[in-house]
Amino acid sequence: MSKPLQKTTALLLIVTLVIGFIAGYLVHWATTPTAPAEGYVPKSEYDKLATELQGLKAQLQQLQQQGGKPVEIVITAWTQGPERESIYRQLNLVEAANRLNTIFKALGVPATVKVEGDFSTASWTDYRNKVFLALQGGTGPCIFQMEHHYAALLSENGWIIPLDDYVKKYWNWTYYDIISGLWDSVTYKGRIWGIPQDTEARPVYFNKLLLKQLGWTDEQINSLPDRIRKGEFTLWDLLKVAEEAVQKGVVQPGYGIWHRPSAGPDWPIVYLAFGGTLQDPATGKLVADMKAWKKTFDWFYEASMQKRKVISDKITSLDWNRDIHPTVVAGKVLFWFGGTWHKGQWVGSFGLSEEKFWQMFGFALYPAGEPGLKPVTLSQPQAYFISKTCKHPEVAFLIITLATDPYLNSLHAVKSAHLAILHGQLSDSVYTQDTFLAATGYMVEYAKYQPLHPKWSDYNTIIFNVIKGIETGQFNSDQALQVFKQNLQSTLGDQVIIRE
């Protein structure tokens, strides 16, 4: 190894030690932790650490005087929207590096950390393929963001590193403050593989102006979320109202209920509302409760153009930005099965004012499938992962740690209409000023998550294709159930438990 390279390597090693030291020190210095109980530094320990830091700084200065250049650590990071309102997923990582550099400068550490990468607005499929190909080829970014349930696939392929030890080490910095249920969304086979970046809920938006045209009073409209929450208004009630709107010409045939046009996480929500479960906790295998799926397919069949003409047979061929959002924002759809972040998109990119949003839209949980069951929503937290090929995993983790901050996360939440992941956000002045986030926060209590299983995407694609078949007139509900079962068994084999 040449001498300049030796010096650079030595600097890098010492900088890494300094980073570890600084982080460990600031855990106790800069926070007021509530857990774990051992978050306390005796003066003797503090003096020892301070001496070690001075020693490391002296070594750094000596190497610099000998010709070693200041170290720049580059952390590559790829993040994704696709909605442009979620750009803080990338900007917060950059800001975290800026904050770390400020600490370095104040302490005289001759090093900088730089976050390089980009924020993608491509489709999820294109983004995932890009990430997977890079990880497979060993050229993936150090940090990347993806849906939480991919922790199973990513870890099974050996593409990411477990983060348990880092979470424990930096627990008092910020991780004690993460809403506890979110840890389950990134835990697979007993290990933590990702850090929650945001979460959301998927509500049913209802058009208040159209309900008024149907003769609903303000009291009936305003009490709908609460009636749904109490189980007094079911999915069958919702279907009946949508059918009435079509029959009375309040909306066009096929415009009573709209949902996403493509494959995605929303598809099992109606099944969950009919009491279905997706994963067996004892074995970790996927589950298909055929009684709940029959009720689900019956509901979609009744809503289709074959029966009550509430859901369009063209909807799965529509485009999000060209067709879906403009039509919903134009007030032509009675019920929209969407996500909390859609409100942010409508205001940010589709010309809907705040005033018009509140005038036109209400929002509620997905109603229970039938009396006696519970309302539900589905949450799909985004998470930051660290790739196995990352050369500086602890520095990458420290960047994520500094980005997991109540203020920074609230900037993202408000801009993109995502929900809080930190208790500290619930009292942050940026977050609490947003009326929509405050009004939808309760939905997290009703949220279900997608299973962490390597074959879940295959299962979910089969759901989409079968419901698409119902809506386009290929199947009735009995035929759909038969095709669904055959596809699950042929694709998933013994990884799915069929419950008759």
Side-chain angles (χ1 to χ4, degrees), residues 239 242-243 246 251-262 267 299-319 322-324 327-328 332-337 464-475:
L239 183 55
E243 181 184 22
V246 172
V251 296
Q252 299 177 40
Y255 284 61
I257 300 171
W258 272 26
H259 53 61
R260 64 178 301 129
S262 54
W267 294 104
W299 188 86
F300 276 104
Y301 181 55
E302 285 293 324
S304 74
M305 298 302 283
Q306 301 182 70
K307 300 289 284 185
R308 305 195 194 190
K309 304 186 187 308
V310 165
I311 298 179
S312 170
D313 54 0
K314 305 291 192 303
I315 194 167
T316 50
S317 62
L318 299 182
D319 180 83
R322 185 194 61 217
D323 307 310
I324 295 288
T327 305
V328 175
K332 297 180 180 179
V333 176
L334 181 57
F335 294 110
W336 164 240
F337 289 3
F464 167 68
N465 286 332
V466 169
I467 293 176
K468 178 181 177 182
I470 294 172
E471 294 180 345
T472 54
Q474 297 179 57
F475 311 133

Side-chain angles (χ1 to χ4, degrees), residues 245-314:
V246 172
Q247 291 175 342
K248 293 184 176 178
V250 173
V251 296
Q252 299 177 40
Y255 284 61
I257 300 171
W258 272 26
H259 53 61
R260 64 178 301 129
S262 54
D266 308 52
W267 294 104
I269 304 179
V270 171
Y271 165 75
L272 295 170
F274 279 110
T277 57
L278 292 168
Q279 193 166 25
D280 178 58
T283 64
K285 292 185 178 182
L286 299 169
V287 171
D289 181 333
M290 301 312 286
K291 291 180 181 176
W293 277 119
K294 181 62 168 62
K295 293 176 182 177
T296 302
F297 296 151
D298 284 343
W299 188 86
F300 276 104
Y301 181 55
E302 285 293 324
S304 74
M305 298 302 283
Q306 301 182 70
K307 300 289 284 185
R308 305 195 194 190
K309 304 186 187 308
V310 165
I311 298 179
S312 170
D313 54 0
K314 305 291 192 303

Side-chain angles (χ1 to χ4, degrees), residues 149-457:
H149 61 89
Y150 278 97
L153 177 70
L154 294 165
S155 61
E156 290 288 353
N157 280 286
W159 291 338
I160 55 175
I161 61 172
L163 303 177
D164 306 73
D165 291 342
Y166 290 139
V167 170
K168 183 178 179 181
K169 182 175 181 178
Y170 298 111
W171 179 262
N172 286 356
W173 186 281
T174 191
Y175 297 114
Y176 70 92
D177 196 34
I178 285 185
I179 296 171
S180 59
L182 288 169
W183 287 117
D184 292 338
S185 70
V186 291
T187 300
Y188 177 64
K189 292 186 175 179
R191 306 209 70 176
I192 297 172
W193 297 93
I195 299 301
Q197 187 274 324
D198 71 19
T199 190
E200 30 85 336
R202 291 162 195 261
V204 175
Y205 291 91
F206 51 90
N207 188 308
K208 296 192 287 190
L209 303 180
L210 296 179
L211 287 178
K212 280 190 176 181
Q213 290 184 38
L214 271 181
W216 284 40
T217 65
D218 287 340
E219 181 181 356
Q220 287 175 306
I221 293 170
N222 294 332
S223 67
L224 182 58
D226 196 42
R227 285 187 285 148
I228 289 175
R229 197 172 178 177
K230 293 177 179 176
E232 298 172 358
F233 186 92
T234 70
L235 277 172
W236 287 107
D237 295 323
L238 185 144
L239 183 55
K240 185 178 179 181
V241 174
E243 181 184 22
E244 182 185 358
V246 172
Q247 291 175 342
K248 293 184 176 178
V250 173
V251 296
Q252 299 177 40
Y255 284 61
I257 300 171
W258 272 26
H259 53 61
R260 64 178 301 129
S262 54
D266 308 52
W267 294 104
I269 304 179
V270 171
Y271 165 75
L272 295 170
F274 279 110
T277 57
L278 292 168
Q279 193 166 25
D280 178 58
T283 64
K285 292 185 178 182
L286 299 169
V287 171
D289 181 333
M290 301 312 286
K291 291 180 181 176
W293 277 119
K294 181 62 168 62
K295 293 176 182 177
T296 302
F297 296 151
D298 284 343
W299 188 86
F300 276 104
Y301 181 55
E302 285 293 324
S304 74
M305 298 302 283
Q306 301 182 70
K307 300 289 284 185
R308 305 195 194 190
K309 304 186 187 308
V310 165
I311 298 179
S312 170
D313 54 0
K314 305 291 192 303
I315 194 167
T316 50
S317 62
L318 299 182
D319 180 83
W320 278 103
N321 294 329
R322 185 194 61 217
D323 307 310
I324 295 288
H325 289 309
T327 305
V328 175
V329 168
K332 297 180 180 179
V333 176
L334 181 57
F335 294 110
W336 164 240
F337 289 3
T340 52
W341 66 98
H342 289 156
K343 185 262 183 181
Q345 283 185 271
W346 295 341
V347 173
S349 301
F350 290 92
L352 187 70
S353 67
E354 277 284 337
E355 181 181 3
K356 187 67 175 178
F357 171 79
W358 290 102
Q359 181 187 7
M360 182 182 290
F361 292 107
F363 38 86
L365 296 163
Y366 276 62
E370 53 194 20
L373 297 177
K374 295 180 179 178
V376 69
T377 186
L378 185 139
S379 183
Q380 179 175 253
Q382 295 293 316
Y384 289 127
F385 298 96
I386 296 179
S387 67
K388 192 174 183 178
T389 55
C390 180
K391 294 180 179 177
H392 310 291
E394 184 154 6
V395 179
F397 189 82
L398 194 54
I399 293 293
I400 294 172
T401 300
L402 290 167
T404 308
D405 169 88
Y407 172 68
L408 296 180
N409 267 85
S410 293
L411 291 177
H412 166 68
V414 171
K415 176 74 172 177
S416 64
H418 284 84
L419 301 180
I421 62 163
L422 297 163
H423 289 290
Q425 285 181 257
L426 301 178
S427 58
D428 185 272
S429 59
V430 175
Y431 191 84
T432 56
Q433 288 178 9
D434 192 293
T435 306
F436 179 73
L437 295 181
T440 53
Y442 77 94
M443 294 184 179
V444 175
E445 300 174 28
Y446 295 83
K448 305 287 187 183
Y449 299 111
Q450 297 172 89
L452 269 67
H453 189 288
K455 294 290 186 181
W456 165 243
S457 292

